[in-house]
Amino acid sequence: ATPVAAAMAAVGAGPTTILEVYSNTSRSWFVALIALTGPSGVPCAVRFIDEQGRVREKALRPADAALLAPFGAHLGGKPPPGFLAVPST
């Protein structure tokens, strides 16, 4: 398995998994969703909303495994910018 595939397996990620991704440009962690998977189901890109409310996409390379983390690992479970956590009914 590639390093990205191993990282995704470690966080229990699937095609609709919410996770955290580190943006080198913003030097910050963000809540992200898998945007594109390869033929073997390995994530190739994630999408997230940056601190200015822009939708961003990060292409993942094998060396990017350290830029992925389970949801809540760095952000304490906070929702993405512009989203509000509400109790379920």
Side-chain angles (χ1 to χ4, degrees):
T2 68
V4 169
M8 296 307 289
V11 300
T16 59
T17 300
I18 298 171
L19 49 91
E20 294 180 7
V21 64
Y22 185 78
S23 168
N24 291 315
T25 304
S26 297
R27 296 183 185 173
S28 185
W29 287 91
F30 295 94
V31 176
L33 290 171
I34 297 170
L36 181 66
T37 57
S40 62
V42 175
C44 299
V46 294
R47 286 193 184 121
F48 61 96
I49 299 173
D50 70 10
E51 65 279 352
Q52 296 175 350
R54 297 176 296 193
V55 176
R56 309 291 266 175
E57 185 167 296
K58 181 175 190 68
L60 300 172
R61 298 169 293 152
D64 291 337
L67 303 179
L68 303 174
F71 179 65
H74 299 280
L75 300 172
K78 293 186 306 187
F83 286 78
L84 177 65
V86 297
S88 64
T89 55

